[in-house]
C-alpha cells in the first residue's frame, strides 16, 4: 500500500537530525526570519532599481505579480513536493525532513517557519529557476523585481501558517484556520492552500463542506 501523509500527531518537538549542529539549523523564530529574509528582500529591491535599472512602477508591478504567483507555488509545492512520499526509504526520509515532521508535531513552534539556512538555499534555487524562465523570453532582468514579491508572498504565508497553529482564529479568518486544521487532522490529501483557498477551489481539492460532511457521517 502506498504510504500516505498521516493525520496522527503528537505533542512536543520533533527530532530531525541526531547531529546537534544540523538539528539547530532546522529551528528558527519569527524575529530571526523577519531580519534575515527582510534584508534579502530589501537588498534585492535596491539592486533591482539602482543596479539593474528597473523603474519603481515596473518593480511595483512585478512585485505584486510575484506575490500572486507565490499563492500558486504555495499550493503546488505543498501538494506535489511536500506530500510526495513513496515506499522507498530515502523518499520517506526526504518527506519527514521537509514536511512529515510538521504533520507528526504540528505545534512544534520552532519549526513552524522555514529556518534561514535551508530557506536561503531553497530561495537561491528558485531564483535561478525564475531567472532561467525570464531569460528564455529575453527579459532576465525582470527577475530582480519579480522575485522579491514572490519571496514576500512566502514570508506572509509562513506567518499565516504559524498563526494557524498557535493562535485562536480572528473572526474574519476563521474559515482559513479551519481549512488548514482539516488538512492536518482529517483530510491530508485536500486543503493544500494555507494563506488562501483559491487554488484548492481551482483544482478541486477543497475539503467537504460541513453539511456534506454531516450527511456522510450519518450514512
Amino acid at each position: 500500500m502506498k504510504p500516505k501523509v498521516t493525520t496522527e500527531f503528537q505533542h512536543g518537538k520533533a527530532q530531525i537530525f541526531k547531529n546537534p549542529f544540523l538539528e539547530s539549523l532546522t529551528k528558527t523564530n519569527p524575529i530571526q526570519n523577519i531580519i534575515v529574509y527582510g534584508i534579502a528582500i530589501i537588498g534585492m529591491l535596491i539592486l533591482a532599481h539602482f543596479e539593474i535599472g528597473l523603474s519603481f512602477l515596473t518593480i511595483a508591478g512585478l512585485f505584486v505579480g510575484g506575490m500572486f504567483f507565490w499563492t500558486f507555488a504555495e499550493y503546488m509545492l505543498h501538494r506535489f513536493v511536500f506530500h510526495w512520499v513513496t515506499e522507498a526509504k530515502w523518499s520517506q526520509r526526504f518527506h519527514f525532513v521537509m514536511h512529515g515532521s510538521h504533520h507528526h508535531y504540528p505545534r512544534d513552534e520552532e519549526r513552524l517557519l522555514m529556518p534561514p539556512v535551508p530557506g536561503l538555499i531553497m530561495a537561491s534555487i528558485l531564483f535561478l529557476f525564475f531567472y532561467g524562465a525570464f531569460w528564455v523570453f529575453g527579459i532576465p532582468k525582470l527577475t530582480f523585481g519579480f522575485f522579491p514579491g514572490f519571496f514576500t508572498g512566502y514570508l506572509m504565508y509562513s506567518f499565516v501558517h504559524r498563526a494557524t497553529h498557535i493562535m485562536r482564529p480572528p473572526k474574519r479568518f476563521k474559515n482559513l484556520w479551519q481549512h488548514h486544521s482539516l488538512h492536518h487532522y482529517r483530510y491530508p490529501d485536500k486543503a493544500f492552500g494555507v494563506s488562501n483557498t483559491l487554488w484548492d477551489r481551482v483544482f478541486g481539492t477543497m475539503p467537504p463542506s460541513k453539511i456534506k460532511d454531516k450527511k456522510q457521517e450519518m450514512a
Side-chain angles (χ1 to χ4, degrees):
M1 220 176 148
K2 185 179 177 181
K4 293 184 178 180
V5 176
T6 183
T7 55
E8 297 178 2
F9 67 95
Q10 303 175 51
H11 296 289
K13 300 180 183 294
Q15 181 179 7
I16 296 178
F17 296 106
K18 291 182 179 179
N19 182 286
F21 175 70
L22 291 178
E23 182 73 356
S24 69
L25 296 181
T26 69
K27 301 176 181 181
T28 189
N29 60 69
I31 301 299
Q32 190 176 31
N33 276 39
I34 290 171
I35 293 172
V36 174
Y37 295 149
I39 289 173
I41 290 166
I42 293 169
M44 193 166 288
L45 288 172
I46 292 172
L47 184 66
H49 180 66
F50 293 102
E51 292 295 327
I52 306 301
L54 299 179
S55 69
F56 286 117
L57 191 61
T58 300
I59 291 173
L62 289 167
F63 189 91
V64 172
M67 287 187 66
F68 179 74
F69 190 78
W70 162 257
T71 65
F72 175 71
E74 171 192 324
Y75 177 90
M76 299 301 285
L77 288 169
H78 191 183
R79 182 177 180 180
F80 295 109
V81 178
F82 299 148
H83 275 243
W84 177 75
V85 57
T86 70
E87 293 180 356
K89 293 292 184 183
W90 68 267
S91 79
Q92 292 179 23
R93 177 60 179 164
F94 172 82
H95 168 71
F96 182 77
V97 171
M98 293 298 294
H99 193 62
S101 59
H102 173 55
H103 274 265
H104 282 287
Y105 297 90
R107 294 182 66 85
D108 183 352
E109 291 190 25
E110 292 181 312
R111 293 191 175 89
L112 291 176
L113 300 170
M114 178 67 77
V117 172
L120 290 175
I121 292 171
M122 289 183 67
S124 299
I125 293 170
L126 286 168
F127 175 84
L128 292 174
F129 171 80
F130 287 123
Y131 189 89
F134 279 105
W135 177 81
V136 169
F137 293 98
I139 48 175
K141 290 182 178 180
L142 297 189
T143 314
F144 292 88
F146 176 87
F147 196 74
F150 182 84
F151 206 177
T152 299
Y154 160 73
L155 196 60
M156 293 175 67
Y157 139 83
S158 67
F159 280 99
V160 169
H161 177 237
R162 186 176 190 274
T164 62
H165 283 283
I166 66 171
M167 292 174 56
R168 294 180 64 85
K171 204 167 186 180
R172 290 183 61 184
F173 298 103
K174 188 175 181 179
N175 288 339
L176 194 61
W177 259 240
Q178 184 183 51
H179 186 75
H180 192 55
S181 291
L182 288 173
H183 170 75
H184 268 278
Y185 306 118
R186 297 198 68 177
Y187 305 107
D189 58 344
K190 297 184 183 296
F192 294 103
V194 177
S195 65
N196 66 91
T197 62
L198 171 64
W199 300 106
D200 281 302
R201 296 178 190 279
V202 171
F203 293 110
T205 51
M206 285 292 290
S209 65
K210 290 181 181 179
I211 297 173
K212 194 175 182 181
D213 218 2
K214 287 180 181 178
K215 286 182 179 178
Q216 287 177 345
E217 289 177 358
M218 290 173 66

